[in-house]
Amino acid sequence: MRYYLPALSYPFRDRPFVFVFMALMSMLAEFLKHFGPLSLVSGIISCYLICHFMKMLRDSILNIEDGITSFPDFTGFTESIILPWIRLVGCIFICLLPALIVEYFLNLEATYGIVALLLGAYYFPIAYMRCAALDSINGVNPIECFKVIFRIPLQYTGLSLFVFAGIRTYIYLPDGFIEDIILAPFVMYAISVYVHIFARFMHKHEDSMGWYEESDGFED
């Protein structure tokens, strides 16, 4: 547990102004989403922040003791926004695929769909971490992902339960115009901490995961 405690200070380490910038952007996104056509701008901002979290994860793996990643790079729209977004959407789709197959193609009872959805949610953290670490959609490869899960089942299950707890807390947050704006920085902080915990988890279990070799040592 002590190994993960530095994640709590990660958003403010070295470059606290970066987190302040991201928090303000998230507040702006929450404000704009309530104003019709401007919700498109809100979506773009949110998309950018979500994609930047993948970069934060990769950078944290490369330099585990460094602070938060530098300001998002607004140059290279395709590399900074489009490709990470495609990877994230692909990652989510593959994790939801078993539930979609059960629900819409096999016509099984709802219970089976819920089980398939939970299994997809359990699979998501490892798929997301691999996508960010390898900087490729190939990170969702089920064969490699399940190899990791089988090598460290208890540790990975603990991480997944921690993620579930965070998602459940987010779902039950107060909802409303003012509440969304006020809570946005706290959500940004929580996600940043989770991202660094992911990085520390990958760093700690590097030998078990085996993707260090896949990515040629995580070279930039």
Side-chain angles (χ1 to χ4, degrees), residues 122-123 126-127 130 139-156 201 205-211 213-214:
Y122 179 75
Y123 180 75
I126 191 68
R130 281 181 56 83
V140 302
N141 183 339
I143 296 175
E144 298 301 328
C145 286
F146 279 111
K147 279 183 182 178
V148 175
I149 294 174
F150 290 144
R151 285 171 187 156
I152 47 174
L154 294 179
Q155 296 91 329
Y156 179 73
F201 181 87
H205 301 288
E206 181 179 278
D207 293 338
S208 298
M209 292 186 168
W211 52 40
E213 292 79 9
E214 279 185 75

Side-chain angles (χ1 to χ4, degrees), residues 186-207:
F186 296 96
V187 174
M188 284 292 102
Y189 171 77
I191 296 175
S192 299
V193 170
Y194 267 92
V195 165
H196 195 64
I197 287 175
F198 283 172
R200 286 187 167 269
F201 181 87
M202 290 160 42
H203 193 267
K204 183 176 182 179
H205 301 288
E206 181 179 278
D207 293 338

Side-chain angles (χ1 to χ4, degrees), residues 20-213:
V20 172
F21 173 75
M22 295 178 66
L24 291 174
M25 286 186 68
S26 68
M27 294 176 73
L28 177 62
E30 292 295 340
F31 176 80
L32 293 176
K33 79 176 186 181
H34 294 278
F35 293 94
L38 292 178
S39 60
L40 177 61
V41 179
S42 171
I44 293 173
I45 294 173
S46 299
C47 172
Y48 188 81
L49 289 173
I50 291 170
C51 293
H52 184 59
F53 283 126
M54 297 190 82
K55 183 176 186 297
M56 287 169 59
L57 177 53
R58 182 174 173 82
D59 287 353
S60 288
I61 300 167
L62 289 166
N63 301 287
I64 197 65
E65 299 301 334
D66 278 6
I68 193 168
T69 298
S70 299
F71 276 124
D73 184 4
F74 286 96
T75 61
F77 185 79
T78 300
E79 293 77 11
S80 298
I81 300 289
I82 301 299
L83 291 180
W85 183 249
I86 290 174
R87 294 184 195 114
L88 179 61
V89 172
C91 180
I92 294 173
F93 174 75
I94 290 173
C95 292
L96 291 176
L97 190 58
L100 294 174
I101 292 174
V102 169
E103 182 69 22
Y104 295 103
F105 294 99
L106 299 183
N107 261 345
L108 298 177
E109 294 180 7
T111 304
Y112 293 100
I114 293 172
V115 171
L117 185 62
L118 290 175
L119 288 174
Y122 179 75
Y123 180 75
F124 177 75
I126 191 68
Y128 176 80
M129 289 189 290
R130 281 181 56 83
C131 275
L134 300 178
D135 204 20
S136 168
I137 191 62
N138 293 333
V140 302
N141 183 339
I143 296 175
E144 298 301 328
C145 286
F146 279 111
K147 279 183 182 178
V148 175
I149 294 174
F150 290 144
R151 285 171 187 156
I152 47 174
L154 294 179
Q155 296 91 329
Y156 179 73
T157 299
L159 179 68
S160 296
L161 291 175
F162 185 59
V163 173
F164 291 162
I167 293 173
R168 182 177 176 81
T169 301
Y170 177 76
I171 291 173
Y172 286 99
L173 287 176
D175 187 28
F177 178 71
I178 300 299
E179 291 88 343
D180 290 347
I181 295 173
I182 292 175
L183 291 173
F186 296 96
V187 174
M188 284 292 102
Y189 171 77
I191 296 175
S192 299
V193 170
Y194 267 92
V195 165
H196 195 64
I197 287 175
F198 283 172
R200 286 187 167 269
F201 181 87
M202 290 160 42
H203 193 267
K204 183 176 182 179
H205 301 288
E206 181 179 278
D207 293 338
S208 298
M209 292 186 168
W211 52 40
Y212 188 85
E213 292 79 9

